[in-house]
């Protein structure tokens, strides 16, 4: 008799399991756009390079946290490096407010002369020289009489596999019979340069300025957001802690601290479509955030059918769940007018 009665737990577990199988994401997973805000916003710190944020990102951060091509890596001995046109540069110092930094080729810093036999070039879409500089030309595989040319010195402290001697000449020169020539910029402040003071000159590096417009970040961070890069719009965007998670600036909120007093939700009968309400009210959804809400100049055609007949609280909840559906009433401060 008892064997024919299934345990209550078993009877309950079947529909429960079915629900989890049918709606695993709606029960457990948040809005996928929420990850943008929580993943970005950290500053890069490595040795003497500290407090660097967008448009740069650390190498361990997701791609959407920084502008393409501006990835900082912290290596051995807390040395910060940046790759430009497949060349590794050491970041000597960085000034975010001026959008400038001082860099030097890493292979030259380690061995006095280039080990990668390619000319130094910048990505002109991202960088420009920020200060006066001169090019140093390194020559490899040169004929014996090369030292007869005025201004050319042999570098005795540099060895590159396959070449018995490396020569140096300030400036950029044409073909002089050598197998390879490599140009490396250094600051013009280094003055006259020869093989004797070459090490000090290359360690000085040269200045560059990044050309990314980050002016929108002030409004983003001022509204509580984190700056990032949108692969969809191909430009700087703002990641927010609350819907909409990706925007120009974050939704204007007031009293967004735990325990802040919140007015009771109100219900307003929608006005005629296309006519905005003159007043803005505050509403709280129980998440310790008071949203500023006002009617948009919109028609029901762009809203979900019947959404305009809901209370403001219901509309706001609907908007949070289904991003892209515009409630009749919600708007941020940037949409007022």
């Amino acid at each position: 008799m008892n064997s024919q009665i299934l345990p209550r737990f078993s009877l309950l577990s079947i529909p429960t399991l079915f629900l989890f199988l049918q709606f695993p994401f709606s029960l457990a997973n948040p809005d996928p756009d929420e990850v943008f805000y929580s993943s970005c916003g950290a500053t890069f710190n490595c040795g003497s390079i500290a407090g660097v944020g967008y448009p740069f990102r650390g190498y361990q951060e997701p791609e959407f946290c920084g502008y393409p091509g501006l990835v900082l890596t912290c290596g051995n001995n807390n040395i910060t490096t940046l790759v430009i046109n497949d060349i590794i540069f050491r970041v000597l110092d960085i000034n975010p407010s001026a959008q400038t930094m001082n860099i030097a080729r890493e292979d030259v810093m380690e061995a006095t002369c280039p080990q990668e036999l390619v000319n130094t070039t910048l990505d002109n879409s991202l960088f420009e020289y920020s200060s006066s500089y001169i090019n140093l030309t390194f020559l490899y595989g040169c004929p014996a009489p090369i030292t007869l040319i005025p201004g050319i010195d042999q570098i005795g402290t540099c060895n590159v596999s396959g070449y018995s001697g490396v020569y140096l000449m300030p400036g950029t020169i044409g073909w002089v019979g050598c197998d390879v020539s490599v140009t490396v910029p250094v600051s013009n402040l280094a003055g006259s340069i020869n093989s004797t003071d070459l090490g000090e000159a290359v360690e000085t590096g040269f200045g560059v300025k990044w050309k990314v417009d980050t002016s929108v970040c002030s409004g983003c961070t001022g509204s509580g957001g984190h700056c990032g890069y949108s692969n969809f719009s191909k430009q700087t965007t703002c990641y927010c802690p609350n819907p909409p998670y990706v925007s120009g600036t974050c939704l204007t909120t007031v009293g967004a601290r735990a325990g802040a007093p919140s007015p009771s939700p109100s219900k307003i009968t929608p006005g005629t479509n296309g006519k905005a309400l003159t007043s803005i009210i505050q509403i709280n959804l129980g998440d310790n955030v008071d949203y500023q809400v006002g009617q948009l100049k919109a028609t029901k055609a762009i809203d979900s059918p019947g959404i305009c007949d809901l209370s403001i609280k219901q509309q706001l909840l609907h908007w949070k769940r289904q991003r892209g559906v515009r409630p009749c009433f919600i708007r941020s401060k940037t949409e007022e007018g």
Side-chain angles (χ1 to χ4, degrees):
M1 180 72 176
N2 291 338
S3 61
Q4 296 178 359
I5 300 176
L6 292 174
R8 182 176 298 178
F9 173 79
S10 299
L11 292 173
L12 292 175
S13 64
I14 293 174
T16 303
L17 177 61
F18 175 78
L19 286 173
F20 274 101
L21 290 175
Q22 289 293 314
F23 309 104
F25 296 102
S26 62
L27 292 176
N29 287 11
D31 188 313
D33 284 355
E34 285 188 80
V35 71
F36 294 133
Y37 178 83
S38 59
S39 299
C40 303
T43 56
F44 178 86
N45 298 281
C46 178
S48 61
I49 307 300
V52 180
Y54 189 86
F56 293 92
R57 67 173 175 91
Y59 66 101
Q60 293 180 323
E61 290 184 289
E63 291 184 0
F64 53 76
C65 290
Y67 200 90
L70 299 181
V71 183
L72 300 175
T73 300
C74 189
N76 296 332
N77 300 318
N78 286 327
I79 292 175
T80 299
T81 57
L82 172 73
V83 177
I84 305 174
N85 285 352
D86 297 323
I87 300 175
I88 301 175
F89 290 88
R90 183 179 298 188
V91 180
L92 304 176
D93 60 68
I94 189 166
N95 186 341
S97 59
Q99 294 195 188
T100 60
M101 59 182 174
N102 217 42
I103 59 177
R105 280 182 57 153
E106 183 67 11
D107 60 338
V108 178
M109 294 285 285
E110 296 292 339
T112 309
C113 67
Q115 302 297 295
E116 301 289 334
L117 304 185
V118 293
N119 284 329
T120 308
T121 58
L122 296 179
D123 182 344
N124 294 326
S125 66
L126 279 179
F127 299 100
E128 62 186 7
Y129 290 100
S130 65
S131 58
S132 179
Y133 71 96
I134 61 172
N135 276 322
L136 300 180
T137 300
F138 295 84
L139 303 168
Y140 304 79
C142 300
I146 190 70
T147 53
L148 298 178
I149 300 177
I152 293 184
D153 286 338
Q154 184 170 7
I155 307 173
T157 59
C158 183
N159 295 305
V160 177
S161 177
Y163 297 100
S164 57
V166 181
Y167 300 86
L168 170 71
M169 183 172 184
T172 302
I173 62 175
W175 187 76
V176 290
C178 303
D179 293 340
V180 181
S181 67
V182 177
T183 58
V184 175
V186 296
S187 172
N188 202 24
L189 299 177
S192 179
I193 302 171
N194 54 39
S195 59
T196 303
D197 48 27
L198 174 62
E200 181 179 352
V202 297
E203 289 177 3
T204 303
F206 60 98
V208 295
K209 181 174 184 176
W210 61 90
K211 299 189 287 187
V212 179
D213 182 9
T214 58
S215 58
V216 298
C217 283
S218 59
C220 174
T221 56
S223 65
H226 295 157
C227 263
Y229 181 80
S230 169
N231 278 316
F232 177 76
S233 64
K234 304 300 181 185
Q235 61 185 7
T236 299
T237 191
C238 189
Y239 301 137
C240 303
N242 299 300
Y245 296 110
V246 181
S247 183
T249 57
C250 295
L251 182 67
T252 304
T253 62
V254 293
R257 62 186 185 278
S262 304
S264 300
S266 302
K267 181 171 182 175
I268 295 180
T269 302
T272 304
N273 288 334
K275 294 182 180 180
L277 295 179
T278 57
S279 61
I280 296 176
I281 69 166
Q282 296 178 15
I283 186 170
N284 185 271
L285 298 179
D287 54 2
N288 294 317
V289 176
D290 293 329
Y291 295 89
Q292 288 188 344
V293 180
Q295 187 182 21
L296 279 176
K297 295 179 180 178
T299 65
K300 285 188 179 180
I302 66 169
D303 298 314
S304 294
I307 192 173
C308 291
D309 298 324
L310 301 175
S311 69
I312 294 178
K313 182 176 181 180
Q314 289 172 320
Q315 289 182 44
L316 196 51
L317 287 170
H318 187 82
W319 170 69
K320 289 186 71 174
R321 294 187 185 120
Q322 300 185 32
R323 226 169 32 88
V325 176
R326 268 296 198 189
C328 291
F329 295 109
I330 186 167
R331 68 177 178 183
S332 66
K333 200 166 188 178
T334 57
E335 294 173 312
E336 295 176 18

